[in-house]
Amino acid sequence: MLLAQSSWMEVEDYLKHSDSIVIPIGSIEQHGPNGLLGTDAICPEVIAHKAATLTQMLVGPTFSVGCAQHHLAFAGTITLRPSTMIASILDWTASLQRHGFERIYWLNGHGGNVATVNAAFAESYAQRSFSGEQQATELLHKLQNWWQFESVATLCKQLYPVGDGQHATASEVSVTYAAYPEAQKQVTMEPKIAPTGTITHADDYRRQFPDGRIGSDPSQSSEQDGKQIIQTAAEAVAADFERFAKS
Amino acid sequence: MLLAQSSWMEVEDYLKHSDSIVIPIGSIEQHGPNGLLGTDAICPEVIAHKAATLTQMLVGPTFSVGCAQHHLAFAGTITLRPSTMIASILDWTASLQRHGFERIYWLNGHGGNVATVNAAFAESYAQRSFSGEQQATELLHKLQNWWQFESVATLCKQLYPVGDGQHATASEVSVTYAAYPEAQKQVTMEPKIAPTGTITHADDYRRQFPDGRIGSDPSQSSEQDGKQIIQTAAEAVAADFERFAKS
Amino acid sequence: MLLAQSSWMEVEDYLKHSDSIVIPIGSIEQHGPNGLLGTDAICPEVIAHKAATLTQMLVGPTFSVGCAQHHLAFAGTITLRPSTMIASILDWTASLQRHGFERIYWLNGHGGNVATVNAAFAESYAQRSFSGEQQATELLHKLQNWWQFESVATLCKQLYPVGDGQHATASEVSVTYAAYPEAQKQVTMEPKIAPTGTITHADDYRRQFPDGRIGSDPSQSSEQDGKQIIQTAAEAVAADFERFAKS
Amino acid sequence: MLLAQSSWMEVEDYLKHSDSIVIPIGSIEQHGPNGLLGTDAICPEVIAHKAATLTQMLVGPTFSVGCAQHHLAFAGTITLRPSTMIASILDWTASLQRHGFERIYWLNGHGGNVATVNAAFAESYAQRSFSGEQQATELLHKLQNWWQFESVATLCKQLYPVGDGQHATASEVSVTYAAYPEAQKQVTMEPKIAPTGTITHADDYRRQFPDGRIGSDPSQSSEQDGKQIIQTAAEAVAADFERFAKS
Amino acid sequence: MLLAQSSWMEVEDYLKHSDSIVIPIGSIEQHGPNGLLGTDAICPEVIAHKAATLTQMLVGPTFSVGCAQHHLAFAGTITLRPSTMIASILDWTASLQRHGFERIYWLNGHGGNVATVNAAFAESYAQRSFSGEQQATELLHKLQNWWQFESVATLCKQLYPVGDGQHATASEVSVTYAAYPEAQKQVTMEPKIAPTGTITHADDYRRQFPDGRIGSDPSQSSEQDGKQIIQTAAEAVAADFERFAKS
Amino acid sequence: MLLAQSSWMEVEDYLKHSDSIVIPIGSIEQHGPNGLLGTDAICPEVIAHKAATLTQMLVGPTFSVGCAQHHLAFAGTITLRPSTMIASILDWTASLQRHGFERIYWLNGHGGNVATVNAAFAESYAQRSFSGEQQATELLHKLQNWWQFESVATLCKQLYPVGDGQHATASEVSVTYAAYPEAQKQVTMEPKIAPTGTITHADDYRRQFPDGRIGSDPSQSSEQDGKQIIQTAAEAVAADFERFAKS
């Protein structure tokens, strides 16, 4: 069940038997020569939407722009400052709490979001922790990177024993190719496997990783692989969300 | 051309002959008994995507959650506080400026965004206005409500002479039905045409407008009408963007 | 009754039979060659003070500096950033609510304030909308531009059939001349009627509108006209405030 | 010369031979049984306006609402939070700097503003101090309480050897009576001289000082005294501003 | 009793018979040629720790970095902007209130903190003052500069009849030498007594006070003097805290 | 070399051959029945101070209060909200950059800080990334948890094969006992090894972990072990800092 395509009455009905929701959260940032700028938003979105066909699950709108300052030297990247992202997550959370949601499952598509999202959780919990009063509700956040389920990691390792990489990975590019086959791009990678290193600001990033990739060879990506990964990840999300919703 | 489905190299190429971009901007908020929570984000998004097939135009990701505090008494609504929305728009703008975009065309789907988006423009311009220094670039924002093109208003008036309304309008619901036919909902409206009034906070809104609609009868909406509206609006956007890009 | 010239005991008495207050809100910004920098604050202030002689009405202090970033290329202009203005309006509102005021009527003198003031209202209402709890009070904001009452618009049209304009209007300059006759300035306008256009940042504004006026010929202004406008506007405000106070 | 009653061209002329400006800064807060809520804004305003007749001096608009949280238990008091006041002072300062003002003389009417105004100065200077770069201009702030000139203090002591007090002082009430004779109020004070104590939050303030006064007997106040104080203070301000403008 | 060296159970016990705590608050900033960068944090810390041996008193962690923007032209200085310092003091206060502390005694080592700390107190009190509701607790802040106790001032005057000064004073340097004898530095002062003046931003400060001192000759400082000052100040703090805790 | 015990001239000398600095960063939060509230600040501080005796290294003041909202149900805990901590880290960073420091090595004592500190780094880098301009300097942040050096982890595993735990660990308590032997506390742990779980807000934390410990048995802690750990950790820090300073 997709919140954006539901009416408020349908969401009100959903809330009668569940107080849990999934929010795909991503980033709009360069993903190398053949990867889409929307990769990190598309992956959790398409996986969550598929998962919603496997179990009773409400999927909220995708939080699409995240923390990507380090990619700003590549055209098309859009970022929030961490402080803006924290304020936004607090507003989304306050909105959802108003309706009775107490468990928010953030399905994440971007490693660079992890620190700021966890800081936002702490900011969110702090509002309650400062107050010593007994409270009726129990807000619970969970952040889950889609590529870190064991089943997904195993599949990706099997599909790409070499060059799955750290950024613009073969696996995430495959997921987006399955989602938007018409957006596939044929680009020769040079070098075949990109270098690795550490991330600071945008100019330093571009100097180290001239075409944007880190450690990956996404010329291996394919629509077919993407379908497989989506299916495996969606099953993992569905099962994990069921556990979370009962916790 | 859709930014989220492009690579950074493709955006870099686009920037060689254009410094303009369209950002669909909406809201996630109740739209009455048969309207989708995502209506205000879906409408500008689908219209912009269609417009991008009519002229050379880069469409950025949809800014989907906006100012909807007055709808919070209806399940599923998500809002930013105006101050958070201003901070977010500034970050999107700073990101786009980094790449050389100087003209940002915000195609808006939600009347409740207008004040805050214009405040954000003023905040954005103020950074430059406080500085007396000569600057190389000329950032220009434009906010355009999709339903306010003359051709679109005329068509909607013709399709729905009575009961197009102010919120959860027949025309916007039609646009979403054309975009997501499977999400159409059959609901009897009671009263047929909703009451009208002024908007303050969420509790007052629900008291005045018990099912969420203002002045509308969206039971008139249809996928067929939506297609027509999308086509007409997309043509208007394409032409207006061309003028803007040359201004 | 003017708050600034009342004692707290007098305001406490007023609150026994009314929970409504008028706040004149303006801007300090250039108003062309013969207009006063304080025009937009002076107009609503003088009109509200006059209105307070016509009906029972408490007029608070004038919120004098508003959103004027686009006028910063002209000496003397002072502006708040929209985010600062929102924070200030929230503090004024919280102060007035503390005393039991539930209806705040902002009588506005500056078109450039409208977006930000409405954003501030949304920010103010959002505090309540996020909370699902029943609340004892019903804060209500109203923003009214003094020149948009029908009677006022008609009078101004009659006084200045040509060249009332959009900024540094003949009518507002007349109001300030009636308020401060000693501040009248004789300046030859060149061209007689100023150009029109759209507003972005300060440098662009000055380029388009070299002497600050938009579409106006305020050499027509006179103290006598101003007195008439003040009287008409004050009557409109008094009647409108009475309706608002009872709403 | 009053900024609010000048045109931008007149201010531009002023800037050719001076880069200094006076900003009266006050508060809207209870001032006991016979004192005006606007006292702390009225006093520096009327003194500065008088001073402007004695020397070449530009007086900006009055910053009328300041730090008055401790008076909120008395009807009519309006306050900014200190953080909002700091943001506002930064915006006023940035606006004035844009025009070439480098010396801002804040003539203060409220002891409760002193801490926050000085914090705002530090915030303003910090922007420059963090940057190691050479800068063309030399922003200089000065905060001056009008009652702390030696000549003024001596006069007030002589006029009110007993019961001038700390808040709602006999001398400040006199100044406002000279400014607005029609607003004079006859109230019997009980006790004649109010108690003294320390200031924390609003409820504690009202408990300690039930009618709002601290240590004062403002039933001694008179229009005549006010005129004398205004004259003496204006002379002191004029002389001090001349020194400041040359520093 | 030192909070940082206590367990939570020990603090819980302390709270059974006291709701008061001391927070030493300082600055990290240059203190001339022979003074330590940590002087303003070390002085209140060592005095408070000594005072805690004289009476029952809980000493919290030292708030070590304060408002020192004016010292940034000297290497090693670290500052918060006033707005950041206010936010930090609010968080410390909210934390302490959560545990039941209602009286917070800030023992200050830096004159430059006074304005901002008092602004923070007002911000803290304002949260309560805006609310008209009865509240169970009575938060009380007190700011005390360690050098302003009469006994301490008398002793310092006696030890350094000439050249104690205003910044990098002989007395504060002595206190740090008593605390960290191994950090004593022998530097010839030139001129022997530093100049005096007013403080604005960092570049102006360095121009006026080339070696960082204001009005002082800290070559007079000694470990022996420091011990005496610490003892006298600790006694004054112990007695004053006892009064405060009972107030 | 300790910044707080150095003069500005000594830091200026240091900057002639190094642009790197260590900042110990911790938290003030409960550490179980026998652990100190200051544990997470004390550990990195004492390790860094020891490391500074092993190599040329400047150690700045300890950033002692961090992110500890989840411990607020235990007396004595003090926390910053993540947004406040980010603002503070930006101010420390801007101060250090002013002097020429380009490499800041944050030696961390608290797992709960990691997300927010990394978010602060991103906020800090973003300022540069938004600007496309070439810049002279290369700010580089590094966050290092003291317990995650391989040599340290091996030693702790060897000292406490069972019950080192996740919070209030045997090893960190030992470090503080070595630092402050007089603060050692004998408390019987019940159960001997504390439970484990996940962390959300303060009330939930206390429910799960009634005495504050997670997974640990710190009754094993000793001053002797602490000395060993400090030595091993200090060697690791010294070597790592040397690499960092040259990077």
Side-chain angles (χ1 to χ4, degrees), chain C residues 138-172:
Chain C
E138 285 291 329
L139 177 66
L140 187 62
H141 290 291
K142 176 171 181 173
L143 180 67
Q144 175 67 49
N145 296 325
W146 67 262
W147 63 90
Q148 287 189 320
F149 288 110
E150 201 182 318
S151 59
V152 177
T154 302
L155 173 61
C156 294
K157 188 78 197 163
Q158 174 191 319
L159 290 170
Y160 315 110
V162 173
D164 194 20
Q166 287 78 52
H167 182 70
T169 64
S171 45
E172 64 187 346

Side-chain angles (χ1 to χ4, degrees), chain E residues 4 6 37-38 77 81 84 91 99, chain F residues 6 37-38 77 81 84 91 99:
Chain E
S6 305
L37 280 152
T77 299
R81 276 168 296 178
T84 308
D91 288 356
H99 307 310
Chain F
S6 305
L37 280 151
T77 299
R81 272 168 296 186
T84 308
D91 288 356
H99 306 310

